[in-house]
Amino acid sequence: MTVLVAAGAPAAAQDNQPPLVGFPILTLDQERLYGESRAAARIIDEIETRASELAAENRQIEAELSAEELELTERRETMPPDEFRPLADAFDEKVQRIRAEQDGKERDLQTMRDEERQLFLRRITPILAELARERGALMILDRRTVLLSAETVDITEDAITRIDDVLLDADGNLTEPLPAPPVERPADLLSPPDPAPTAPDAVETPGDAGPADAD
């Protein structure tokens, strides 16, 4: 991947500032940039934290759903089929709805994970452009695309330092937080079962728990 920096040298000339290095082409190691930057690590940690929270939420939902299914099964023994059927159908419908909601959260998180690198690169482009302008360079190349270059044209270390300075605050948090996660759980989810059953709000996501069938 080639990172083009438009008008690096002319900008320096307009500012009457001589280039710090004076090389028209600079290089950097993108793998190190992403792997060693504390800002990139913070982004990855945030996404993994959300993934862990969602997994815990799904486990809790599955446990509550199983308990509710057991209660419906016990009620089935004492209720006429025509009274039990609406409860079982409502439970089935709720399970499917909540499963769809949780699956949506999984997809959103996966999309964020897939796009995290691209988002990071977009955020650091102005920072790299500024580094190139300071050095009077016209472009920055990924070192993997360069057969041979002098160490003096590599700006990886400086780029990592500058990126962390810009993207992290004094406490090490991202100055531009990631998008907020979706609502934790549906508002009507898993309320305590009503003695006069109204299809309890239970959720099933990573399990295959299903309501007891009424005959």
Side-chain angles (χ1 to χ4, degrees):
M1 175 181 174
T2 300
V3 181
L4 296 179
V5 181
Q14 291 170 5
D15 294 343
N16 295 319
Q17 296 176 355
L20 300 183
V21 175
F23 293 109
I25 297 178
L26 302 173
T27 65
L28 60 78
D29 186 332
Q30 285 197 78
E31 292 303 317
R32 283 189 58 203
L33 205 65
Y34 193 70
E36 298 181 17
S37 165
R38 290 186 296 115
R42 189 69 183 85
I43 293 172
I44 295 171
D45 288 346
E46 173 68 20
I47 293 175
E48 292 309 312
T49 296
R50 294 186 186 186
S52 297
E53 291 173 351
L54 182 57
E57 177 182 290
N58 285 341
R59 288 192 297 271
Q60 180 180 358
I61 284 172
E62 183 179 357
E64 294 180 20
L65 176 63
S66 297
E68 187 171 346
E69 182 188 16
L70 178 60
E71 181 187 3
L72 281 176
T73 301
E74 292 172 350
R75 285 183 173 182
R76 177 184 180 185
E77 302 301 322
T78 61
M79 297 179 66
D82 61 337
E83 293 182 13
F84 179 78
R85 169 54 62 186
L87 298 181
D89 290 345
F91 181 74
D92 275 335
E93 181 180 347
K94 183 172 59 179
V95 165
Q96 296 304 318
R97 171 178 58 81
I98 296 173
R99 174 183 292 171
E101 291 175 357
Q102 296 302 107
D103 286 348
K105 293 180 185 179
E106 291 277 5
R107 288 192 298 272
D108 290 344
L109 191 60
Q110 185 59 47
T111 297
M112 178 179 287
R113 183 181 286 110
D114 292 341
E115 292 179 348
E116 67 180 30
R117 197 180 187 101
Q118 287 72 25
L119 291 172
F120 178 75
L121 290 175
R122 285 202 293 270
R123 288 178 179 179
I124 68 174
T125 295
I127 301 172
L128 298 179
E130 179 65 15
L131 281 172
R133 189 195 68 81
E134 292 172 359
R135 288 158 173 74
L138 298 176
M139 68 177 63
I140 302 174
L141 300 177
D142 190 328
R143 289 194 63 168
R144 293 172 298 176
T145 67
V146 179
L147 181 62
L148 183 65
S149 67
E151 289 298 323
T152 52
V153 302
D154 184 85
I155 61 168
T156 303
E157 291 289 348
D158 290 343
I160 291 173
T161 299
R162 185 76 62 90
I163 287 166
D164 289 342
D165 287 344
V166 173
L167 298 187
L168 296 176
D169 60 22
D171 297 322
N173 298 314
L174 293 169
T175 55
E176 183 180 337
L178 298 182
V183 177
E184 287 300 317
R185 297 170 59 166
D188 64 341
L189 190 58
L190 297 175
S191 54
D194 192 333
T198 314
D201 287 302
V203 188
E204 180 203 6
T205 30
D208 283 330
D213 292 328
D215 293 328

